[in-house]
Amino acid sequence: MVSDNELGLFLRVHREAVTPAEVGLPTGPRRRAPGLRRSEVAALADVSVEYVTRLEQGRDRRPSPQVLAAIANALRLNWSERVHLHRLTKAADPAFNCRGHSTPTGEVRPTVQALLDRLEPTPAVLLNQLGDILAHTAGYVRLVGPIGLLDAAQPNLARFVLTDARARSAYPDWYHVADEQVAALKQGPFRAYPPMAALADELTVTAGADFTRRVDTVPSLAKPSGILRLAHPEAGMLRLAYETLELPADDDQRLLVHLPADAATSAALDRLNSQPLRLVAG
């Protein structure tokens, strides 16, 4: 199970993100918010406004495939968002837990490690579903070692972002980075999966409202790519394009790769990679 009304949250957030112009509707002078109204989504999907309201409020969590497809079309969802939307309807069943009673694996397959080795000196890191850092390149150490991300005995990306004060200095767009970390944690059975429930309970205490508010307001689908700004203590402000590569389902791991997003960042990374690698704590 995900949060109490994850399907409704997902639909509402995406409705508010679509502008009338994107779907060929007039903007109008009296519109209070930039997104679509429920009535507009209903008209585009050929369903009633009352039904869109029931879906968003969680009073109906099992729309038919035909209705789901029509709403996805109205909201201009991409392929991965449509797949996730379908999963959310399955997750409405409190007994749903696609991961069963398995525990997060810390094993790194030899071919995955070989891939990381081939990526040097690109900053790349292997994460499990909890955000635990399982393996990384030396380039990643040079990138995040100085900000303290690897100091813990078992480094965890979500835990660092949400609970370590150094993260707010390291990430100028911390609020967005924190949103993405919570979205990644929620992408699955969430609290129905015992290891994730334990981490969520921990973050509820250690991060407080910075975590719980996002659980209630951030939809459960992190962006697989984008631009990350990082204030590096030695290299200055970096702009990094990141790509998330999902490994096979049996691994339940993802590879996060960072590439320079501009010439200045490329030059800064080259300078970092020319320096001797310094070991980090943990």
Side-chain angles (χ1 to χ4, degrees):
M1 185 174 69
V2 287
S3 63
D4 184 56
N5 182 23
E6 190 65 27
L7 175 62
L9 172 63
F10 187 86
L11 292 174
R12 177 178 59 78
V13 168
H14 281 272
R15 172 174 62 81
E16 293 174 350
V18 178
T19 65
E22 289 180 86
V23 294
L25 295 174
T27 301
R30 302 182 62 181
R31 188 175 293 271
R32 291 177 296 177
L36 296 179
R37 299 185 177 106
R38 286 173 177 165
S39 59
E40 292 167 334
V41 172
L44 290 167
D46 196 24
V47 297
S48 69
V49 180
E50 292 75 14
Y51 189 62
V52 172
T53 301
R54 290 205 308 272
L55 287 175
E56 289 194 4
Q57 293 179 347
R59 291 185 286 121
D60 188 327
R61 305 190 185 193
R62 299 179 184 278
S64 70
Q66 294 81 4
V67 167
L68 209 59
I71 291 177
N73 288 338
L75 297 179
R76 299 299 192 263
L77 300 185
N78 62 31
W79 183 85
S80 62
E81 290 165 344
R82 290 167 187 261
V83 171
H84 188 66
L85 183 61
H86 177 71
R87 288 172 178 164
L88 289 177
T89 65
K90 299 298 183 184
D93 181 353
F96 177 79
N97 176 4
C98 58
R99 291 186 173 120
H101 298 288
S102 63
T103 56
T105 178
E107 180 182 353
V108 181
R109 289 191 289 113
T111 49
V112 176
Q113 183 59 61
L115 176 59
L116 280 169
D117 294 341
R118 291 277 185 170
L119 286 173
E120 292 286 7
T122 300
V125 59
L126 182 68
L127 306 164
N128 66 12
Q129 65 268 34
L130 300 181
D132 293 331
I133 293 177
L134 307 180
H136 48 68
T137 60
Y140 191 73
V141 176
R142 292 186 174 95
L143 183 68
V144 304
I147 68 173
L149 175 53
L150 302 177
D151 285 356
Q154 174 56 73
N156 179 285
L157 184 55
R159 186 181 288 119
F160 176 78
V161 169
L162 291 164
T163 67
D164 196 310
R166 294 173 293 183
R168 294 180 184 251
S169 300
Y171 300 111
D173 306 309
W174 180 86
Y175 286 92
H176 174 70
V177 174
D179 285 351
E180 290 297 288
Q181 288 304 311
V182 173
L185 293 179
K186 291 172 64 183
Q187 192 170 334
F190 197 42
R191 287 188 178 274
Y193 180 51
M196 188 66 77
L199 177 60
D201 288 344
E202 173 197 325
L203 292 174
T204 297
V205 174
T206 57
D210 284 333
F211 175 69
T212 57
R213 179 177 58 79
R214 286 179 167 83
V215 169
D216 292 335
T217 59
V218 175
S220 55
L221 187 62
K223 298 291 189 298
S225 61
I227 301 294
L228 174 72
R229 291 199 302 157
L230 180 70
H232 194 280
E234 301 166 12
M237 186 62 66
L238 304 176
R239 292 183 68 253
L240 300 154
Y242 65 87
E243 286 287 342
T244 306
L245 310 177
E246 299 286 345
L247 298 187
D250 287 347
D251 294 315
D252 214 356
Q253 298 170 354
R254 64 189 189 275
L255 190 63
L256 183 60
V257 182
H258 298 82
L259 301 167
D262 55 39
T265 299
S266 180
L269 290 180
D270 287 343
R271 289 193 297 272
L272 280 178
N273 290 325
S274 69
Q275 300 172 4
L277 182 64
R278 284 175 283 178
L279 297 178
V280 295

